Amino acid sequence: METFLGIDYSTWWFLVVGATFTGYAILDGFDLGAGAIHLFFNKEESRRIALNAIGPVWDGNEVWLVIGGGTLFAGFPKVYAAVFSAFYIPFMLFLVALIFRAISIEFRSKEPMPWWRKMWDVSYSISSIIVTLSLGVVLGNVLLGLPIDKGGVYRGSTLDFINPYAILVGITTLALFMMHGAIYLVMKTEKRLYTKLTIIVRDTTVFFVISVLLLSFYTLLYVPHLSATIKENSWLFFIPVTMVLAVANIARRISQQRYRQAFLSSAVVISLLLILVVVELHPNLVLSSLDERYNLTVQNASSSSKSLGIMLTVAAIGVPLVAIYTAFVYKTFRGKVKLDEMSY
Amino acid sequence: MDVEILSRIQFAFTIAFHYIYPPLSIGLGLCMVFMEGMYLRTGDVLYEDMTKFFTRIFALIFGIGVATGIVMEFEFGTNWAVYSKYVGDVFGSALAAEGIFAFALESGFLGVLLFGWNRVSKRVHFIATIMVTLGSMFSAIWIVVANSWQQTPAGYHIVGQGLEARAEITDFWAMVFNPSSVDRILHVWIGAFLAGSFLVISIAAYYIIKNRHMAFAKKAFGIGLTVALLSSYAQLFAGHRSAHVVAEYQPAKLAAMEGHFDSSSAAAMYLFGYIDTKNERTHGVAVPGALSFLTHFSFDAPVTGLKAFKPEDRPQALNIVFQSYHIMIAIGFALIALTTVGYILFRKKKLFEKRWLMHVFAWSVLLPQVANQVGWFTAETGRQPWVVYGLLRTSDALSEAVTANQVVFSLVLFTFVYTLLFALFIFLLNRKIQHGPGFKDSDDESEIHSPQLEGMAGNFSR
């Protein structure tokens, strides 16, 4: 296996996949979260402001999902094949919700009738929630391990994806994104809506703290393989400790009205949660609940060194470019939302 | 029905639906670049209105295109797991490049295109429009490269045996520039230019028929017609080159496209007809020797016929391949005729008086759409029974974990959602067209525009 800086290509690509999904969770996380709390805004103007706060960027954020799917497909085709065919039903619901969400945002503003707008508001919010929950549920199942055989083929039944742990992960993801989205909206709003959002930030933060605590206890008690690495390497305790500090910092920054700092803290929380996932799963990507030997690992599930090398080159050229114009787009639309004739 | 046929129906249905939108985005994007370019050059607000008007339509099309496109990516994993494992090593780098180099560019700048009018300078906005269009064109490159690799694989070797067999990349550029990539990209691009330019033409023709927004409509028509004229002629060559590649690398597909059974004789090219699959004969009106000439530049050169292939290696849906192909070609020539007549009359300044022709142009938007669809049918059904030509059979590419019931569930779901989506799309598109651009349009008689009249109207209302 070829290496770069002493790390083999498969592991590099594992990091790329992890980073892409983290990027996706941070970016699309806030617009999904904004969608999930959308129905808490009652006035038409508030809803329009909330939509236009994500208007210019949500589409670009969703690109990270496509890139994430692509990096997994390209780097770990066996994992891609195993996980996607195993969770057929949740992925189909996810896709349909994703379609509804996109068209709700797009179609809502096209007609002025109140029933039309209300319909798309509901569709937008529910589909945002379904997208988030299904991602969380799939992640929860992957964390638990799947009944996959020697060939990486799923041997469970259709509805096995519904189990307490996966649902808890789903709810925690929802709470996390709602908090993240609320903080983003606070940054982008003023006056009454802003005041309302500071309350929503507080409530969603509480919701997140409760669900993440429940999830942690459940994991420690019933899913021991997900805390094994941290128990063996006590220095890794800095991850949960930093997470607690970051959550505390959100509250502090909100009270100081320094929203950008609060938003960064919530992005840090998301990153740390996903880093925890990576730390605990590594070197596996998917655990087989049938036999340890069937685990899909960074080594046995990855593409060839040649292919990974090509893609690392692609990423090395492409990612800085994407970063530059993403920064440009966010800079263009910085500041509080102002509605104009081209707004949603 | 079994999982294979259901999954094939699902894939065909979802991709056919998806394929309405990206070609429209590409073609419309190109037209918008010209419109906004004219605005920057002339400073004429009519062009600004035009760009804004088509931007709104573009947003509608783009939104549906992205949403339905994500479905395609995930379907590889959900329904075609064995295929995903087989091609991941090769296909993956094309898909990764698409995401990073194309899709991110297009979606990133879309925000500026849609919402940036008052936030960035005119020049920067124009650059954003160009970037979105370039992004959508790059997107097409990588997707067509990936598909072309399935048609004419290159730059790989096979490792493993039986269930474990998969393709591994050996040469990235050989994979990218596989024998059919370049010709197929050009063919697809031009098809997209036609789809977009005819949408512009159609909307403009509709306004002219209704005598609304005349100055706007005539200028937009001119831009659409220019793009359409050049594209329709260019497609003649791109299409021919694509067929030539098929003849060389996928002879069974070419034989199916032309209903050509016996290898021995000088091959005829059918203008239209049908294939009698039972007796292995093709009936119809044909030009003798034309196929031989087009593939080998000699009227009596033999062209490989279907009988030269084992029955299990021949495309099964022969009539679908044959008819799709012939419809595509017929439309191609119809578009050439239409744009040529349109252009001659345009130069003589008589075009907009011909009301019957305006009706034809208003409906003409359907022609490139149909041609694009049947073009894909030809390419994809003609490739059967292989999902990767000569390497992996479609029947072996399925997900083992997925049951027929699951696929039925998702198929019903998608049919419902896409039908709804299409109805909403047409409804909103129509509303946008009826609403029209925002006006400073001097010969628009349907609206009050002069300050004097507006003043009077104001007086009356007081």
Side-chain angles (χ1 to χ4, degrees):
Chain A
M1 203 69 182
E2 285 178 67
T3 58
F4 176 68
L5 299 177
I7 298 174
D8 63 69
Y9 280 6
S10 300
T11 308
W12 272 116
W13 199 253
F14 177 65
L15 296 173
V16 169
V17 172
T20 322
F21 279 106
T22 308
Y24 173 69
I26 291 173
L27 291 173
D28 213 24
F30 75 73
D31 62 61
L32 284 167
I37 59 175
H38 189 69
L39 295 178
F40 291 129
F41 316 125
N42 294 322
K43 289 169 68 178
E44 163 69 9
E45 201 200 352
S46 305
R47 290 182 172 182
R48 283 193 70 199
I49 290 173
L51 268 175
N52 282 288
I54 63 151
V57 294
W58 72 271
D59 208 50
N61 295 342
E62 213 165 274
V63 168
W64 288 92
L65 176 69
V66 178
I67 298 180
T71 54
L72 192 64
F73 187 3
F76 303 99
K78 284 180 185 166
V79 174
Y80 183 82
V83 172
F84 283 57
S85 57
F87 297 116
Y88 195 83
I89 300 292
F91 272 117
M92 289 299 152
L93 292 174
F94 168 80
L95 290 173
V96 167
L98 215 55
I99 292 174
F100 267 100
R101 184 167 181 273
I103 62 170
S104 303
I105 299 173
E106 210 48 65
F107 289 179
R108 183 190 185 281
S109 63
K110 302 292 186 274
E111 296 292 328
M113 298 83 83
W115 64 268
W116 172 270
R117 297 197 160 191
K118 209 164 279 170
M119 177 175 82
W120 291 117
D121 281 332
V122 172
S123 160
Y124 168 54
S125 199
I126 290 177
S127 55
S128 300
I129 292 169
I130 293 177
V131 166
T132 311
L133 279 177
S134 47
L135 281 176
V137 166
V138 168
L139 175 66
N141 278 296
V142 170
L143 288 170
L144 273 181
L146 312 177
I148 51 169
D149 69 10
K150 198 172 173 228
V153 179
Y154 180 74
R155 295 296 175 201
S157 60
T158 309
L159 295 176
D160 279 359
F161 70 89
I162 303 172
N163 59 71
Y165 188 70
I167 289 169
L168 195 50
V169 175
I171 290 172
T172 310
T173 313
L174 180 63
L176 175 65
F177 283 4
M178 282 168 104
M179 171 182 82
H180 193 52
I183 297 169
Y184 178 78
L185 290 180
V186 165
M187 273 165 60
K188 305 296 285 182
T189 52
E190 48 200 355
K191 299 180 197 146
R192 263 180 52 116
L193 183 57
Y194 159 80
T195 316
K196 175 148 199 172
L197 273 161
T198 52
I199 298 166
I200 296 178
V201 168
R202 190 197 63 200
D203 293 351
T204 50
T205 310
V206 172
F207 177 30
F208 170 67
V209 169
I210 293 170
S211 50
V212 83
L213 281 175
L214 270 175
L215 181 64
S216 307
F217 288 126
Y218 194 110
T219 308
L220 290 169
L221 289 173
Y222 301 107
V223 200
H225 69 257
L226 289 178
S227 51
T229 310
I230 258 196
K231 280 177 187 152
E232 280 160 29
N233 305 280
S234 49
W235 63 274
L236 286 172
F237 267 104
F238 87 90
I239 300 173
V241 171
T242 316
M243 202 159 74
V244 172
L245 292 175
V247 173
N249 197 43
I250 292 172
R252 188 171 77 101
R253 294 304 190 183
I254 291 285
S255 67
Q256 295 170 341
Q257 305 196 344
R258 298 183 64 176
Y259 312 114
R260 194 184 295 207
Q261 308 295 330
F263 187 72
L264 286 178
S265 293
S266 106
V268 167
V269 173
I270 294 175
S271 312
L272 289 170
L273 277 169
L274 286 166
I275 287 170
L276 261 184
V277 168
V278 166
V279 164
E280 288 298 341
L281 280 181
H282 188 82
N284 300 300
L285 282 150
V286 182
L287 302 165
S288 170
S289 54
L290 299 179
D291 190 326
E292 240 179 48
R293 288 173 302 166
Y294 304 157
N295 286 356
L296 295 175
T297 68
V298 171
Q299 300 304 332
N300 74 18
S302 74
S303 286
S304 66
S305 216
K306 173 90 186 171
S307 182
L308 293 171
I310 292 165
M311 291 188 291
L312 285 167
T313 315
V314 168
I317 301 168
V319 171
L321 286 174
V322 178
I324 290 168
Y325 53 73
T326 304
F328 168 72
V329 173
Y330 276 85
K331 189 169 165 282
T332 303
F333 296 100
R334 70 189 178 279
K336 308 282 184 189
V337 176
K338 298 272 183 280
L339 298 177
D340 64 30
E341 49 148 2
M342 294 301 277
S343 297
Y344 281 131
Chain B
M1 278 196 276
D2 62 2
V3 178
E4 183 193 343
I5 194 72
L6 286 166
S7 284
R8 282 176 62 176
I9 291 172
Q10 180 170 327
F11 200 83
F13 175 64
T14 48
I15 203 160
F17 188 79
H18 173 63
Y19 200 57
I20 296 171
Y21 305 95
L24 279 175
S25 311
I26 295 173
L28 191 55
L30 186 71
C31 293
M32 281 157 54
V33 168
F34 289 126
M35 291 167 187
E36 201 169 1
M38 288 298 286
Y39 171 52
L40 282 188
R41 237 181 76 181
T42 63
D44 186 344
V45 285
L46 200 58
Y47 287 113
E48 187 189 14
D49 279 348
M50 199 183 289
T51 314
K52 282 188 176 172
F53 172 73
F54 283 107
T55 300
R56 292 198 187 98
I57 290 178
F58 184 88
L60 189 64
I61 292 166
F62 191 90
I64 303 179
V66 172
T68 53
I70 294 177
V71 173
M72 309 313 308
E73 185 189 2
F74 282 62
E75 261 176 351
F76 292 135
T78 52
N79 293 55
W80 305 94
V82 174
Y83 163 83
S84 299
K85 276 188 268 192
Y86 192 89
V87 301
D89 202 275
V90 179
F91 213 72
S93 44
L95 221 58
E98 195 256 348
I100 283 194
F101 290 133
F103 197 38
L105 186 69
E106 144 183 59
S107 302
F109 280 101
L110 183 74
V112 181
L113 172 60
L114 299 186
F115 304 100
W117 293 98
N118 302 324
R119 295 245 177 190
V120 295
S121 70
K122 285 177 190 170
R123 197 174 292 266
V124 171
H125 192 275
F126 182 51
I127 291 170
T129 310
I130 293 174
M131 288 302 172
V132 171
T133 305
L134 276 181
S136 64
M137 290 176 69
F138 291 165
S139 218
I141 291 185
W142 293 108
I143 295 303
V144 175
V145 160
N147 183 271
S148 294
W149 186 84
Q150 280 177 270
Q151 308 279 354
T152 53
Y156 69 98
H157 65 159
I158 303 292
V159 292
Q161 298 273 320
L163 266 179
E164 290 292 302
R166 62 195 190 94
E168 259 186 18
I169 198 162
T170 52
D171 183 341
F172 177 69
W173 294 113
M175 183 277 288
V176 172
F177 293 104
N178 67 68
S180 63
S181 285
V182 175
D183 291 315
R184 296 179 83 238
I185 288 165
L186 290 176
H187 192 44
V188 165
W189 268 357
I190 298 169
F193 298 160
L194 286 166
S197 56
F198 270 95
L199 179 67
V200 174
I201 290 176
S202 166
I203 293 171
Y206 175 77
Y207 285 153
I208 291 167
I209 292 168
K210 296 276 172 187
N211 203 20
R212 274 154 54 181
H213 324 308
M214 290 301 269
F216 170 91
K218 287 175 181 171
K219 283 209 161 101
F221 200 113
I223 290 176
L225 185 63
T226 311
V227 174
L229 179 79
L230 296 174
S231 304
S232 61
Y233 278 93
Q235 193 65 301
L236 192 61
F237 295 98
H240 172 70
R241 289 193 55 120
S242 269
H244 205 79
V245 171
V246 172
E248 193 164 344
Y249 293 91
Q250 298 175 293
K253 188 201 266 190
L254 184 88
M257 279 153 63
E258 287 294 358
H260 186 58
F261 283 95
D262 295 300
S263 307
S264 51
S265 57
M269 199 166 116
Y270 285 89
L271 299 178
F272 53 87
Y274 76 95
I275 300 178
D276 177 357
T277 42
K278 215 166 119 196
N279 299 315
E280 305 197 326
R281 286 203 49 186
T282 307
H283 307 276
V285 178
V287 184
L291 183 61
S292 292
F293 181 76
L294 282 171
T295 42
H296 300 291
F297 299 106
S298 151
F299 284 104
D300 49 13
V303 174
T304 315
L306 278 168
K307 286 180 183 166
F309 302 92
K310 284 183 279 179
E312 69 267 26
D313 290 347
R314 300 179 194 169
Q316 291 303 307
L318 288 176
N319 267 312
I320 294 182
V321 183
F322 180 91
Q323 302 301 350
S324 300
Y325 179 62
H326 284 85
I327 292 170
M328 177 180 75
I329 291 185
I331 291 177
F333 282 104
L335 292 179
I336 290 175
L338 197 54
T339 51
T340 308
V341 169
Y343 184 70
I344 292 169
L345 291 171
F346 185 71
R347 290 303 299 243
K348 289 184 176 168
K349 303 201 184 300
K350 283 183 186 162
L351 175 62
F352 301 121
E353 295 154 22
K354 304 255 187 267
R355 289 189 65 80
W356 66 272
L357 197 56
M358 286 299 112
H359 281 281
V360 173
F361 273 115
W363 286 102
S364 67
V365 64
L366 297 174
L367 291 174
Q369 284 299 335
V370 173
N372 284 340
Q373 292 288 337
V374 293
W376 268 117
F377 292 171
T378 311
E380 299 293 277
T381 48
R383 192 191 57 219
Q384 300 303 327
W386 306 99
V387 66
V388 182
Y389 205 70
L391 293 176
L392 181 66
R393 284 179 192 273
T394 311
S395 53
D396 293 332
L398 293 161
S399 299
E400 291 167 75
V402 172
T403 62
N405 284 340
Q406 290 175 322
V407 186
V408 169
F409 165 79
S410 58
L411 190 55
V412 170
L413 201 61
F414 279 119
T415 310
F416 168 71
V417 172
Y418 281 10
T419 309
L420 178 74
L421 201 54
F422 191 68
L424 284 165
F425 171 68
I426 296 298
F427 170 73
L428 288 171
L429 185 65
N430 181 49
R431 293 287 290 233
K432 292 212 165 305
I433 294 169
Q434 298 304 334
H435 178 272
F439 295 105
K440 293 121 192 162
D441 193 348
S442 58
D443 55 352
D444 176 9
E445 285 154 31
S446 65
E447 297 189 14
I448 297 166
H449 51 82
S450 78
Q452 206 181 348
L453 274 174
E454 272 169 21
M456 279 168 66
N459 285 336
F460 283 123
S461 62
R462 242 177 254 145

